[in-house]
């Protein structure tokens, strides 16, 4: 029998049948349950989009009202859950704190918890964990969630102690919608693999957070700002890019396994960001980003390398005063919905993942006793 073909990174290898989201990478099209993500970012809310992803169809008014109520009622953390955050090193990365605290969260709920209950806890409390860790690492008390605020606005409040203006709440809500789901990426696959073992959903989401934390995946938005700092000024963007290409540097926030045109999420986020910038002023990093994008259109465009969603998300967050190391946790706060949608789908037709390998090592080697080894 011939060896199966090995595809590094499982490129183009289907690992599941899924009805959750769809990408046409050549036409810049991303749909959640058949609906264009741009329409959702402009017209929907994170709560409504979450229901759509998790349940498969837009909610009725009553379903949405009950879901919204249930999320609000599940936002708060117990004292001991906050104490866990206080025990973590304040200098550690918030993604590590999130991964650890989500895994620990599962210990507070019954092993055979109803799946929907787990989903409510995870969607509602991930946001609270991110905000609470940020406050306790700075020696401040975690703020209790407010039931009069929507999901995104409440996050901003729990983080900063301030209520966001309507445009700021809107752009944050849209960012959550845009990051909620994205077909079979590395963290979603990690969630499916862990879920396929029938591990509890808190372990599933904790594993997915670990996968998302890497700089080639969710960690890119943080590195984009570092790159824009390094460029310094928009007038230097073209020369910097030429040098980066010559020295084979990866341009953070550019390129995508699936999109060979500009990521539709980047386009809609840019549009929403412009609204926020009328309030906060256009940050210098945005001017640099625009010059870099213009130069990249000529230099990288022919290779199908264009901005992805993370090219702009970090600029928006930092214009709102959100620290860089919270960008990826904010991505996780949103993507938890996509991961749980895939977990739900996986559990419906589950078979444990057990892929194949192409063996390249030696065989039939003798065991040489320690004293006889050279
Ligand atoms: N800058 C410069 N060159 C790039 C970039 C980039 N950002 N992305 C791809 N390329 C080049 C590669 O060097 C390679 O060139 P070669 O054929 O001459 O060797 C070619 O394009 C193919 O690149 P791969 O890395 O094989 O593409 P892959 O599909 O495996 O990777 C990835 C996609 C990881 C996103 C890549 O584009 C990248 O590292 N981008 C920067 C990090 C980033 O922004 N990640 C966020 C992704 S979006 C998200 O997770 C939400």
């Amino acid at each position: 029998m011939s060896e199966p073909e090995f595809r590094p990174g499982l490129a183009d290898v289907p690992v599941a049948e899924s009805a959750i989201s769809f990408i046409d990478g050549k036409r810049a099209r991303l749909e959640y349950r058949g609906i264009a993500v741009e329409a959702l970012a402009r017209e929907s809310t994170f709560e409504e989009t979450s229901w759509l992803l998790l349940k498969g169809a837009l909610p009725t008014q009553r379903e949405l009202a009950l879901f919204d109520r249930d999320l609000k009622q599940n936002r708060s953390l117990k004292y001991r859950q906050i104490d866990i955050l206080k025990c973590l090193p304040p200098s550690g990365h918030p993604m590590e704190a999130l991964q650890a605290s989500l895994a620990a969260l599962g210990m507070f709920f019954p092993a055979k918890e109803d799946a929907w209950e787990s989903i409510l806890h995870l969607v509602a409390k991930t946001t609270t964990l991110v905000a609470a860790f940020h406050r306790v690492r700075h020696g401040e008390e975690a703020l209790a969630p407010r039931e009069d605020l929507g999901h995104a606005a409440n996050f901003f409040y729990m983080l900063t102690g301030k209520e966001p203006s309507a445009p700021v709440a809107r752009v944050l809500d849209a960012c959550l919608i845009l990051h909620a789901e994205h077909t079979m990426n590395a963290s979603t696959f990690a969630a499916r693999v862990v879920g396929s073992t029938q591990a509890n959903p808190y372990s599933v989401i904790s594993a997915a957070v670990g996968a998302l934390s890497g700089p080639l995946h969710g960690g890119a938005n943080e590195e984009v700002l570092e790159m824009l700092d390094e460029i310094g000024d928009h007038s230097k963007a073209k020369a910097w890019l030429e040098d980066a290409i010559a020295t084979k540097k990866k341009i953070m926030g550019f390129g995508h396994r699936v999109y060979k045109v500009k990521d539709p999420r980047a386009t809609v986020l840019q549009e929403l960001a412009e609204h926020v910038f009328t309030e906060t002023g256009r940050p210098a990093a945005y001017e640099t980003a625009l010059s870099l994008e213009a130069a990249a259109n000529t230099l990288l465009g022919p290779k199908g390398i264009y901005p992805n969603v993370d090219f702009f998300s970090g600029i928006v967050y930092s214009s709102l005063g959100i620290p860089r190391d919270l960008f990826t946790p904010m991505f996780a706060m949103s993507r938890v919905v996509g991961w749980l949608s895939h977990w739900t789908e996986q559990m419906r037709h589950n078979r444990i993942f057990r892929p194949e390998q192409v063996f390249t090592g030696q065989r039939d080697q003798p065991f040489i006793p320690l004293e006889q080894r050279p």
Side-chain angles (χ1 to χ4, degrees):
M1 205 176 80
S2 66
E3 287 282 359
E5 187 197 353
F6 167 52
R7 303 254 193 123
L10 290 181
D12 303 323
V13 177
V15 294
E17 288 185 326
S18 181
I20 302 167
S21 62
F22 169 84
I23 303 175
D24 181 339
K26 293 196 191 76
R27 290 188 185 77
R29 183 88 182 162
L30 168 62
E31 295 171 3
Y32 295 169
R33 302 285 188 186
I35 302 177
V37 75
E38 293 93 329
L40 292 166
R42 292 190 188 109
E43 315 275 341
S44 182
T45 61
F46 177 66
E47 290 86 332
E48 185 181 46
T49 298
S50 298
W51 179 281
L52 170 73
L53 287 166
L54 289 161
K55 296 283 194 177
L58 286 168
T60 62
Q61 280 185 13
R62 185 177 149 72
E63 283 168 340
L64 183 57
L66 291 177
F67 182 50
D68 186 46
R69 182 203 65 188
D70 289 347
L71 285 177
K72 284 176 173 157
Q73 287 180 350
N74 280 291
R75 281 176 181 166
S76 61
L77 297 173
K78 293 182 198 305
Y79 284 113
R80 281 190 299 155
Q81 291 160 353
I82 295 173
D83 285 347
I84 290 172
L85 298 175
K86 288 182 179 165
C87 291
L88 297 172
S91 58
H93 197 285
M95 277 301 266
E96 288 163 4
L98 184 61
Q99 187 176 7
S101 55
L102 280 166
L105 193 64
M107 298 173 75
F108 290 85
F109 302 108
K112 288 274 169 245
E113 186 180 52
D114 169 71
W116 185 245
E117 286 289 314
S118 305
I119 288 172
L120 290 173
H121 285 142
L122 281 161
V123 176
K125 292 191 205 306
T126 299
T127 301
T128 317
L129 286 170
V130 173
F133 178 69
H134 178 65
R135 292 189 73 91
V136 302
R137 71 175 166 164
H138 290 298
E140 293 168 324
E141 281 305 314
L143 288 175
R146 272 179 46 183
E147 290 207 6
D148 59 327
L149 297 175
H151 198 84
N154 175 59
F155 167 69
F156 190 84
Y157 164 74
M158 289 191 297
L159 190 71
T160 63
K162 290 182 231 135
E163 228 182 276
S165 67
V168 168
R170 187 74 266 282
V171 81
L172 282 174
D173 197 53
C175 285
L176 293 183
I177 292 172
L178 292 171
H179 286 89
E181 161 60 10
H182 209 234
T183 72
M184 199 54 64
N185 50 77
S187 57
T188 300
F189 183 44
R192 283 214 180 232
V193 171
V194 178
S196 80
T197 70
Q198 294 186 352
N200 78 56
Y202 300 88
S203 295
V204 168
I205 298 306
S206 172
V209 167
L212 185 70
S213 68
L216 293 188
H217 194 8
N221 52 11
E222 214 177 299
E223 301 210 7
V224 168
L225 280 229
E226 276 152 33
M227 177 184 75
L228 295 173
D229 278 353
E230 190 190 313
I231 297 171
D233 184 79
H234 70 96
S235 62
K236 298 186 184 140
K238 187 160 180 274
W240 183 92
L241 182 65
E242 283 164 350
D243 181 63
I245 292 171
T247 53
K248 296 212 169 295
K249 244 193 215 165
K250 272 263 162 94
I251 321 301
M252 286 297 151
F254 278 79
H256 201 277
R257 174 65 60 81
V258 186
Y259 297 117
K260 299 304 163 201
V261 290
K262 186 168 175 178
D263 183 336
R265 300 168 299 170
T267 307
V268 69
L269 187 58
Q270 198 175 355
E271 181 188 300
L272 290 159
E274 296 273 1
H275 289 300
V276 173
F277 298 156
T278 53
E279 199 174 303
T280 60
R282 249 187 175 198
Y286 185 58
E287 302 290 354
T288 309
L290 291 181
S291 300
L292 187 65
E293 183 185 359
N297 277 342
T298 324
L299 298 171
L300 293 174
K303 282 183 84 178
I305 301 168
Y306 288 95
N308 59 54
V309 65
D310 284 329
F311 189 53
F312 294 111
S313 62
I315 302 171
V316 173
Y317 296 152
S318 84
S319 75
L320 301 178
I322 296 173
R324 286 179 194 184
D325 61 2
L326 290 186
F327 298 172
T328 319
M330 288 174 70
F331 187 161
M333 262 159 55
S334 152
R335 185 57 60 85
V336 65
V337 168
W339 295 327
L340 288 166
S341 304
H342 280 269
W343 172 68
T344 306
E345 204 175 52
Q346 179 69 33
M347 298 327 285
R348 251 182 229 142
H349 312 281
N350 189 41
R351 188 166 189 209
I352 188 169
F353 277 97
R354 206 319 179 180
E356 198 37 278
Q357 62 171 10
V358 177
F359 180 68
T360 61
Q362 294 180 317
R363 295 208 43 221
D364 293 330
Q365 295 295 298
F367 176 79
I368 302 167
L370 182 58
E371 61 282 4
Q372 291 171 24
R373 288 176 217 160

